Amino acid sequence: MEGTLAGASGEVSLHDFRARLWEQLVHFHVMWLTDSLFLWVGATRHLLNLTVALYNCYDSIPVSTSLLGDTSDTTSTGLVQHPARKTTKQVSYYLQNTDSNFTLLVENRIKEEMRLFWKSSC
């Protein structure tokens, strides 16, 4: 399901896509709001971790923190910074599998989708 891009009128854009990574079907759900982006990545419908990154015009690296789940896991906090920097929006992110090799595949798939879908809005 895809919707329109969020504009000044406060619209919400929805974009869902999936990819097969390491023989596992991974679902991506994106909600693009006027000032933020919610990105959910997972194979099941459980929200176990939630990480947020905020773009900061005073620093080239967005500030990120874990809101829900294991706070010692720095994989998600590092991964969420790229879309925040690219879109200059607040980004909320959830990923179930935090294996570093799997995470790299997920990050590459997100970058690819950003180039295709969000090119005109970034």
Side-chain angles (χ1 to χ4, degrees), residues 1 12 14 17 34 37 39-40 55 61 70 72 75 77 90 96 101 107 110-111 117 120:
M1 178 176 147
V12 175
L14 299 176
F17 59 100
T34 303
L37 176 70
L39 176 59
W40 182 90
Y55 176 76
I61 300 173
D70 183 7
S72 67
T75 305
T77 55
Q90 172 186 324
Q96 290 168 281
N101 293 323
E107 182 177 6
I110 291 168
K111 287 178 186 178
F117 184 73
S120 63

Side-chain angles (χ1 to χ4, degrees), residues 27-117:
H27 300 273
F28 299 80
H29 175 73
V30 180
M31 288 190 306
W32 186 282
L33 307 165
T34 303
D35 294 322
S36 64
L37 176 70
F38 179 84
L39 176 59
W40 182 90
V41 180
T44 64
R45 297 181 181 192
H46 300 287
L47 183 62
L48 303 174
N49 296 319
L50 182 62
T51 305
V52 174
L54 297 170
Y55 176 76
N56 181 345
C57 61
Y58 301 107
D59 194 352
S60 62
I61 300 173
V63 177
S64 61
T65 188
S66 177
L67 298 178
L68 178 65
D70 183 7
T71 57
S72 67
D73 171 33
T74 59
T75 305
S76 294
T77 55
L79 186 59
V80 74
Q81 289 175 334
H82 181 265
R85 184 172 50 246
K86 178 78 173 170
T87 62
T88 67
K89 306 261 186 210
Q90 172 186 324
V91 177
S92 303
Y93 179 79
Y94 165 69
L95 176 65
Q96 290 168 281
N97 186 341
T98 57
D99 177 272
S100 60
N101 293 323
F102 186 78
T103 301
L104 182 61
L105 293 173
V106 168
E107 182 177 6
N108 288 337
R109 184 62 182 97
I110 291 168
K111 287 178 186 178
E112 179 184 336
E113 198 69 20
M114 287 179 76
R115 280 193 299 271
L116 296 173
F117 184 73

